[in-house]
Amino acid sequence: MTNKSKLKNVNIDEYFKAPKDQVVKRDSVFIMFEQVIEATPRNEGKPSQEIYLEGEQLKSVARFVGGVRDEGILTLLEDCTGFHKLVHSIGVVIKTGNDNAGKINFVLQNYGKTKKYETGTLLRIDCPTDGTEMILKLEDYEWSFDDDVLGKFAFEFDRPGALATASVKFYLHDSYKVPNIPLEPPVAFGSKGYQAMIRKSLLSEGNNQRLKAAIEKAERGEDVTIAYIGGSITQGAGAKPIHTQCYAYQSYLKFREMFGKDEGRNVHFVKAGVGGTPSELGMIRYERDILRNGKVEPDIVIVEFAVNDAGDETKGICYESLCLKILSSENKPAVILLFSVFVDDWNLQDRLSPVGKHYELPMVSVKDAVVEQFRLTKEEGNIITKRQFFYDIYHPTNDGHTIMADCLSYLFSETKKSNRDRDDIKIDISPVIGSCFKDVQLLDRKDNRIAAKINKGSFGETDNDLQMVEMDANAFVTPQFPNNWMHSTTSGNESFKMTINSRSLILVYKDSGNSEFGKAEIFVDGKHLKTADPHEVNWTHCNAVILYHENVCREHQVEIKMASNNEDKYFTILGFGYTL
């Protein structure tokens, strides 16, 4: 985050340089304020930072960034008709601090009614990068009659990795009034109040034998690996730069500084966060993304799915299965459960923490640390506001990621000071939710260890336009599930068929916002099971669905074919997860 100490006691409306196109003084709402933006490489187009606004996201941002409480005003943000009724103009401020970032474009994209990503208005405007406010009067632009909702903002850079700060403000028509929101003082990191907040995050120290063993191993100078698996927060979303400011890397650095030898060279880092995915997918990719197919034996694994598992079909069985998969490794790694939080104070801690209690695992709750103090004034003890903690309604800012890292660091330090538990945890006990997927394995185009019989049919191509993720400490991105089977617009209409002996089977397919992707019908043993729709979520990521789960391992026939009238569309089978 930008250091805001110099902004203290400054009127927020006087902070920016005079706009190029001065507007009459109007009430205004910040949608972004001094937010760090980063040029992330894209499969197509320029490196960019994208801010998604559809659904409840724009309204939520107007609440926690802009301080809007008027439900009538918030309702107008739900579609483009209301947006134009409410908003007179948009102010955009970009600051780079140097010339290395190059040219930056501000992009506004409305999603269309006919074709979501194709028929709405798209504006692309070259912006100054010296802090001068650029004013976009809505009446100066031609808008499509097909505009449905304000879909996203984007900031396009000339080169990947460049950083800037950006603010976006909606100036309202004269008849609408909103309160002026004062600037917050900078977060008092290290203060007594801050330390008290961090202490609240320690939900449970759990049985410390495995974590103390890893700490002592590092202190002896032996190689120790700390690994992280989770969703987009673990990937680093909201952190700028994403690979070095994310909570995972920052807490790894703290562990290395606290316990490592030879300047921490014996402490190693593995990060495998994938945005928009639950533990249902995490357990399938654990061997590939954390163990690296047998090349890595982590000593500590932080599991962060508390805000991703709403989509887990099993309501916690996949989460417990993943934890047991990790705990059952021969080298006995420590598992730490990390519970992050969304801007509406929500997570699945109540559902998932019983797993930690059952196996006596250390548990860290970011929710317990920050939510209570969010409601306080500075005089009452507020340390950080939601506007300072959240980059958007889901992901932390750099300050938020720092707090998450400090919460983990506090667990490390408390474990170091504690007496070592005599006995190890017990994992050969009945599960608290369920553990039937503990031994799940990945099957894809490259890895077919059980020799399932596959006839790829018209799904013979390979999809290279995949969800991309920053792994480990890398700034570059890695494609997810590159060994896939894709049906293309010219492939024909022959089914993908697989004969497999398994107790359960999970299909992983690609979700996409591309209108050229179509639906596929899924059959198991000749019976229609479901229709897979790649537009249910509508952005490029990995979707896992359970096809069957039985008590015995037996032969099944799986067929995937394009739905009627979708034969000339794309569909990508990313892989499968199976248990025997």
Side-chain angles (χ1 to χ4, degrees):
M1 289 288 289
T2 302
N3 183 353
K4 303 190 188 79
S5 59
K6 63 182 179 180
L7 307 183
K8 196 172 181 180
N9 299 322
V10 175
N11 186 308
I12 199 165
D13 291 318
E14 296 174 354
Y15 178 64
F16 304 110
K17 292 184 179 182
K20 281 194 170 183
D21 300 303
Q22 190 71 40
V23 296
V24 176
K25 176 71 174 177
R26 298 178 180 278
D27 278 29
S28 59
V29 176
F30 272 104
I31 302 303
M32 298 173 62
F33 177 68
E34 283 290 284
Q35 222 164 285
V36 183
I37 55 176
E38 181 178 11
T40 302
R42 305 295 176 188
N43 289 339
E44 295 181 1
K46 290 186 172 184
S48 65
Q49 171 76 62
E50 296 180 330
I51 309 294
Y52 292 95
L53 303 170
E54 69 173 323
E56 290 293 308
Q57 294 189 70
L58 180 55
K59 291 169 63 176
S60 296
V61 168
R63 283 192 189 98
F64 86 84
V65 177
V68 178
R69 297 292 178 264
D70 186 320
E71 288 300 322
I73 287 178
L74 292 171
T75 299
L76 290 172
L77 296 173
E78 292 178 351
D79 57 38
C80 288
T81 300
F83 174 75
H84 283 272
K85 183 177 180 181
L86 174 68
V87 178
H88 171 273
S89 49
I90 302 174
V92 181
V93 176
I94 300 174
K95 291 183 284 187
T96 59
N98 55 57
D99 295 328
N100 293 334
K103 177 182 173 183
I104 300 178
N105 292 327
F106 172 73
V107 178
L108 180 153
Q109 182 177 1
N110 288 334
Y111 291 158
K113 298 172 186 175
T114 306
K115 291 187 177 181
K116 183 173 181 178
Y117 300 106
E118 299 170 25
T119 57
T121 301
L122 178 67
L123 302 181
R124 179 174 283 103
I125 298 160
D126 183 10
C127 286
T129 59
D130 62 354
T132 300
E133 186 175 19
M134 173 70 74
I135 299 292
L136 288 66
K137 294 181 182 178
L138 300 192
E139 64 181 18
D140 291 343
Y141 297 90
E142 185 175 340
W143 302 89
S144 170
F145 288 109
D146 204 54
D147 284 344
D148 185 17
V149 296
L150 185 57
K152 70 176 181 180
F153 296 147
F155 299 87
E156 295 179 340
F157 293 73
D158 284 337
R159 64 177 184 83
L163 297 174
T165 60
S167 296
V168 177
K169 180 192 287 188
F170 290 168
Y171 289 99
L172 309 184
H173 286 293
D174 293 337
S175 56
Y176 297 99
K177 303 296 179 185
V178 291
N180 188 34
I181 305 300
L183 292 173
E184 305 97 338
V187 179
F189 292 106
S191 66
K192 289 184 178 180
Y194 180 84
Q195 293 169 350
M197 179 185 73
I198 296 299
R199 286 195 293 271
K200 291 182 179 180
S201 70
L202 188 50
L203 185 61
S204 174
E205 286 190 53
N207 182 308
N208 66 20
Q209 188 179 104
R210 292 190 177 196
L211 185 52
K212 283 189 76 72
I215 289 172
E216 292 164 2
K217 185 178 177 183
E219 290 177 323
R220 292 193 299 268
E222 298 176 40
D223 285 332
V224 168
T225 297
I226 181 167
Y228 301 76
I229 188 167
S232 57
I233 296 176
T234 294
Q235 183 180 339
K240 311 297 175 189
I242 190 171
H243 61 301
T244 57
Q245 292 300 316
C246 61
Y247 88 83
Y249 190 73
Q250 290 297 313
S251 60
Y252 148 73
L253 290 180
K254 290 175 184 292
F255 184 93
R256 190 174 75 168
E257 180 181 350
M258 294 166 70
F259 310 119
K261 294 296 182 183
D262 191 21
E263 298 182 343
R265 291 186 179 90
N266 64 315
V267 181
H268 310 287
F269 177 65
V270 172
K271 183 188 72 173
V274 176
T277 63
S279 55
E280 190 171 342
L281 186 72
M283 64 182 186
I284 295 173
R285 60 184 182 82
Y286 180 74
E287 276 85 3
R288 184 195 69 186
D289 289 353
I290 296 293
L291 303 185
R292 307 293 159 90
N293 296 317
K295 296 178 182 178
V296 173
E297 286 191 339
D299 300 274
I300 303 169
V301 182
I302 288 88
V303 178
E304 183 270 319
F305 283 108
V307 292
N308 283 72
D309 266 12
D312 172 18
E313 301 171 87
T314 67
K315 307 299 182 186
I317 294 175
C318 291
Y319 185 82
E320 185 170 0
S321 296
L322 171 61
C323 292
L324 278 171
K325 175 188 280 285
I326 304 168
L327 292 167
S328 301
S329 299
E330 288 186 14
N331 67 314
K332 295 184 176 181
V335 170
I336 299 170
L337 305 187
L338 177 62
F339 303 119
S340 47
V341 66
F342 280 166
V343 73
D344 60 359
D345 304 336
W346 175 88
N347 71 9
L348 288 167
Q349 184 172 314
D350 290 343
R351 179 204 286 179
L352 303 178
S353 60
V355 174
K357 293 175 185 176
H358 192 61
Y359 300 103
E360 298 182 85
L361 304 180
M363 293 187 285
V364 173
S365 171
V366 181
K367 178 180 179 179
D368 285 5
V370 300
V371 165
E372 182 180 346
Q373 63 85 50
F374 280 151
R375 304 186 180 104
L376 304 178
T377 64
K378 291 299 178 186
E379 293 71 25
E380 292 170 334
N382 172 263
I383 302 299
I384 186 170
T385 66
K386 285 189 176 183
R387 183 159 70 175
Q388 291 171 309
F389 185 90
F390 288 101
Y391 190 87
D392 51 32
I393 65 175
Y394 304 122
H395 308 113
T397 58
N398 282 6
D399 283 356
H401 276 277
T402 296
I403 287 171
M404 292 185 68
D406 285 345
C407 290
L408 287 170
S409 179
Y410 181 67
L411 168 65
F412 299 154
S413 64
E414 289 300 294
T415 302
K416 168 63 179 175
K417 292 186 290 186
S418 301
N419 293 324
R420 184 167 182 166
D421 286 317
R422 180 178 300 176
D423 299 318
D424 190 17
I425 61 173
K426 296 179 180 178
I427 58 176
D428 56 346
I429 54 178
S430 298
V432 64
I433 304 176
S435 60
C436 52
F437 296 103
K438 177 177 71 72
D439 299 318
V440 68
Q441 298 291 319
L442 171 66
L443 185 158
D444 61 16
R445 195 165 187 160
K446 180 181 179 182
D447 192 347
N448 183 5
R449 283 171 284 181
I450 58 171
K453 297 177 182 178
I454 295 174
N455 179 354
K456 60 190 177 184
S458 58
F459 291 74
E461 299 189 34
T462 299
D463 193 341
N464 296 313
D465 183 19
L466 303 169
Q467 183 173 6
M468 307 295 282
V469 172
E470 297 86 357
M471 302 288 284
D472 303 337
N474 299 320
F476 61 83
V477 289
T478 299
Q480 288 294 299
F481 294 92
N483 305 305
N484 55 67
W485 299 272
M486 183 178 73
H487 179 280
S488 77
T489 57
T490 58
S491 295
N493 195 32
E494 187 181 350
S495 298
F496 174 97
K497 294 181 179 180
M498 177 170 68
T499 301
I500 182 172
N501 279 284
S502 67
R503 188 164 48 89
S504 61
L505 189 68
I506 301 170
L507 166 67
V508 185
Y509 67 92
K510 174 182 164 179
D511 195 84
S512 175
N514 188 335
S515 62
E516 293 188 348
F517 271 74
K519 300 177 183 179
E521 306 292 0
I522 314 298
F523 298 83
V524 174
D525 298 328
K527 296 180 180 179
H528 182 262
L529 190 69
K530 68 174 292 154
T531 301
D533 183 359
H535 297 296
E536 286 183 2
V537 182
N538 241 344
W539 60 281
T540 301
H541 84 299
C542 312
N543 211 337
V545 293
I546 297 171
L547 299 187
Y548 58 81
H549 175 67
E550 299 176 345
N551 294 324
V552 296
C553 181
R554 65 184 181 92
E555 184 176 282
H556 290 278
Q557 308 293 328
V558 178
E559 179 183 6
I560 302 175
K561 61 184 293 186
M562 298 306 294
S564 178
N565 298 321
N566 284 250
E567 294 88 352
D568 60 347
K569 300 278 189 178
Y570 290 95
F571 187 89
T572 301
I573 303 167
L574 295 172
F576 298 90
Y578 65 89
T579 61
L580 301 177

